[in-house]
Amino acid sequence: MDSKELQETRKFSIAPERNSKVSNSLAQVKKALVEKGYDPINQIVGYLMSGDPTYITSFKDARSIIKKIDRDELLEEVVSFYLKEL
């Protein structure tokens, strides 16, 4: 990449169907974490930061559900949701 390419803003778009799948999966994982008594924000952030799936309970297959989604996709969904709320 040359310096001109580094100065240009890239456009990124998310497919709506992927967004829905990620959102539904996050909702299932959150529900399982809450039912087991965990703070879903802390646990999901721990998972996103470290990549360690043990931050997510295996209760109700939450760990399997979250591992099926790329962490980048999860982060996109979280940022997208937050920015829509501003």
Side-chain angles (χ1 to χ4, degrees):
M1 259 185 210
D2 63 21
S3 62
K4 184 180 180 200
E5 288 178 335
L6 293 174
Q7 298 298 320
E8 295 178 13
T9 301
R10 294 183 184 195
K11 186 175 180 181
F12 187 83
S13 61
I14 301 170
E17 63 278 355
R18 185 179 82 188
N19 191 358
S20 174
K21 179 183 120 184
V22 172
S23 181
N24 290 338
S25 295
L26 270 175
Q28 288 178 306
V29 169
K30 176 192 173 202
K31 184 177 179 181
L33 287 165
V34 168
E35 284 184 37
K36 287 302 278 185
Y38 296 108
D39 179 334
I41 294 171
N42 289 340
Q43 299 308 116
I44 293 170
V45 167
Y47 171 68
L48 289 171
M49 297 294 290
S50 70
D52 184 355
T54 60
Y55 278 97
I56 307 302
T57 183
S58 58
F59 179 67
K60 292 192 172 181
D61 280 336
R63 190 176 298 158
S64 296
I65 291 167
I66 208 163
K67 284 171 45 179
K68 290 179 185 175
I69 302 167
D70 186 67
R71 285 183 13 231
D72 291 342
E73 290 180 53
L74 290 169
L75 194 53
E76 288 168 14
E77 175 64 17
V78 170
V79 171
S80 174
F81 180 81
Y82 178 79
L83 290 178
K84 285 178 189 174
E85 297 299 314
L86 291 180

